[in-house]
Amino acid sequence: MKPNDFQLVHRLRVRWAEVDMQKIVFNAHYLMYFDTAITDYWRALALPYEEAMTQLGGELYVKKASVEYHRSARFDDRLAVALKCERIGNSSMVFTGAIFRGDELLVTCELVYVFADPASQTSRPVPPGLRSLVERFEAGESILEIKIGEWTELQLDVASIRRAVFVQDQCSALEGEWDEYDGSALHAVAFNALGQGIASGRLVRQHNASGKISRLAVHRALRGGGIGRAILGALVIASQKRGDHEIMLHAPGRAEDFYLREGFMTRGEPFIEAGTLCTEMFKPI
Ligand SMILES: CC(C)(COP(=O)(O)OP(=O)(O)OC[C@H]1O[C@@H](n2cnc3c(N)ncnc32)[C@H](O)[C@@H]1OP(=O)(O)O)[C@@H](O)C(=O)NCCC(=O)NCCS
């Protein structure tokens, strides 16, 4: 068994508070490590857990968790917590987990989750949409659909993502939801397998035949999973296709590293835009 045998690998570092008097990780913490990896699993499926479970009409409950300890982890160890969905029954989903230090196997587990009605806490069949999504993910297939289109086609999804990210999370004014550039911009929306819009961005054509990317927003529960990169990539390709000679954007300080990794370069001095310190960044095409 190796970390590469799994689609989902969560990485962590052992903290001082997690080791016991024997200077090894206290046994109960491993269940917490697996639980954190399960949260990553839903993120990797592009499912914002709460909204997804509401749409699916149930919740997932742990019915059984068994852990086997092979070797000990110690303070400061870097661990890889790997998970896979081994099988889906009628109402149950069985996950196999393994914790590695490098390629050394330390701990294995089996987690039985049951899909159930939250009011009565009685089991229900795993919805077909969730079943096929997990099967596709485990087979290494893409689970995201990115649509590029006009405002008239995508405005409901774009507005709802922006409302959640800019208005609710960042407390921006309600006008942050849309402006006069939206009507002529090209929009990209990422949809998960349940058809929920989870990220968006837009490309505005500037008078000097460059494209300006703005309003990039990813559902807060799904950040850090490559969805922002996917939206950005789709907008860059759209810009290339229509013949722009350059793509530019205004990056808030906290997002600068993200755009640098995607091949953007900084230009000029930082400036304040809507109360935020920003840097102009560009990428020649
Ligand atoms: C989870 C819960 C809703 C399941 O209801 P239940 O009546 O106990 O379970 P059921 O008899 O309907 O069985 C449901 C599934 O679990 C499986 N299952 C039940 N007991 C099991 C066990 N001990 N080991 C493995 N699988 C088991 C059954 O085979 C069935 O699978 P299938 O539908 O895929 O064939 C209920 O037990 C519960 O609420 N438990 C408390 C949950 C909890 O607080 N968990 C900790 C925090 S999340």
Side-chain angles (χ1 to χ4, degrees), residues 61-64 89-92 112 114 116 121-123:
Y61 295 89
V62 181
K63 174 69 189 175
K64 186 176 165 189
N90 177 37
S91 66
S92 64
V112 181
V114 174
Q121 250 182 293
T122 50
S123 56

Side-chain angles (χ1 to χ4, degrees), residues 35 59-65 87-94 110 112-117 120-126 131:
D35 197 61
E59 282 277 352
L60 282 156
Y61 295 89
V62 181
K63 174 69 189 175
K64 186 176 165 189
R87 63 179 185 280
I88 304 179
N90 177 37
S91 66
S92 64
M93 297 176 73
V94 181
E110 188 189 73
V112 181
Y113 278 82
V114 174
F115 189 76
D117 170 34
S120 61
Q121 250 182 293
T122 50
S123 56
R124 279 188 175 176
V126 174
R131 182 183 292 272

Side-chain angles (χ1 to χ4, degrees), residues 19 23 37 44 73 77 84 88 93 97 99 113 128 137 161 179 206 214 238 240 255 275 280 282:
V19 298
K23 298 200 174 75
D77 276 351
K84 69 166 99 167
I88 304 179
M93 297 176 73
I99 299 182
Y113 278 82
F137 175 71
I161 295 159
D179 65 19
Q206 313 246 88
S214 56
Q240 272 166 342
E280 182 169 320
F282 71 102

